[in-house]
Amino acid sequence: MSVHLTDPHALRAYAHPIRLKLVGLLRVQGPFTATQAAELTGESVASCSYHLRMLAKYGLVEESEGGHGREKPWRATALQTDWSGTSEDDASAEAAAELNAALAENYFQTMTHALKTRRQLPSEWRKAEQFGDEVVYLTAAELAELGERISKLLEPYGGRFDDRSQRPVGAEPVTVLRVAFRNRRNETNS
């Protein structure tokens, strides 16, 4: 299940670092209250409550059953959020670019933390983790096909997110980042 964002206001609202963190935590550890969110994020309860309400305004989270006031639990409305990065509408395209940049920053911080703390992992996990890059020459069609093939490789593991019974013993959450872009490092502005 996925939430599709098109409204520039929703895209900008989601781009906030605390909101990105809250949605991510709700997807993995939720549902939880604003008080529990504050404990998980290090933010104040009032701040978490505000950000959860903003996320609810754009359909990214919703109230869960039980509780009331600041003690009402929240849950993510979907396991994924998507948006178009190629909108013809300038406001939407600009907001999508801002969200993409915020996500890249979030991923960078998460990856940096993982790299700095990897010595704490068991040897089998240190050996299995991957960090690297490759530059390959592709057409736009080949790049799109590569993305589809990677998605198909990940499909067999998707059901494990919701259904714990599908997780083998020793399975842990693993973040797989897929970043592929036309390398413009050596291009000059004309």
Side-chain angles (χ1 to χ4, degrees):
M1 181 177 192
S2 182
V3 173
H4 183 72
L5 300 179
T6 56
D7 177 8
H9 299 291
L11 292 164
R12 284 194 174 91
Y14 187 42
H16 191 285
I18 295 171
R19 294 178 194 148
L20 286 171
K21 183 182 278 189
L22 286 169
V23 170
L25 286 168
L26 281 168
R27 288 177 177 163
V28 175
Q29 299 179 24
F32 51 70
T33 66
T35 300
Q36 292 165 319
E39 293 169 8
L40 291 167
T41 63
E43 300 293 325
S44 71
V45 174
S47 174
C48 288
S49 182
Y50 169 76
H51 289 297
L52 287 164
R53 287 192 313 274
M54 286 300 293
L55 289 165
K57 177 178 177 179
Y58 296 108
L60 293 159
V61 304
E62 63 188 7
E63 290 183 25
S64 190
E65 297 169 4
H68 60 303
R70 287 194 177 160
E71 296 311 311
K72 66 184 167 213
W74 295 86
R75 67 177 174 214
T77 57
L79 295 178
Q80 296 178 328
T81 305
D82 62 51
W83 56 92
S84 174
T86 59
S87 176
E88 297 300 321
D89 173 55
D90 287 343
S92 293
E94 195 174 298
E98 290 173 24
L99 176 52
N100 289 337
L103 279 170
E105 179 64 31
N106 185 47
Y107 290 143
F108 176 76
Q109 290 174 1
T110 301
M111 186 173 60
T112 300
H113 176 75
L115 291 170
K116 286 181 178 179
T117 60
R118 73 187 308 249
R119 288 185 320 216
Q120 300 166 9
L121 291 174
S123 174
E124 65 187 14
W125 281 100
R126 288 194 312 268
K127 290 177 184 174
E129 285 189 339
Q130 302 169 35
F131 180 76
D133 69 306
E134 295 185 37
V135 175
V136 294
Y137 285 81
L138 303 171
T139 65
E142 290 171 326
L143 179 56
E145 178 190 352
L146 179 61
E148 290 171 13
R149 290 171 63 192
I150 292 170
S151 291
K152 290 219 181 291
L153 285 172
L154 295 172
E155 276 179 12
Y157 311 104
R160 295 178 179 180
F161 195 87
D162 281 337
D163 185 355
R164 293 175 185 259
S165 70
Q166 290 187 29
R167 298 177 193 170
V169 174
E172 297 287 342
V174 173
T175 297
V176 177
L177 296 178
R178 295 186 307 162
V179 179
F181 53 89
R182 193 173 132 222
N183 189 329
R184 296 176 293 281
R185 182 178 294 161
N186 296 323
E187 291 181 6
T188 58
N189 293 334
S190 302

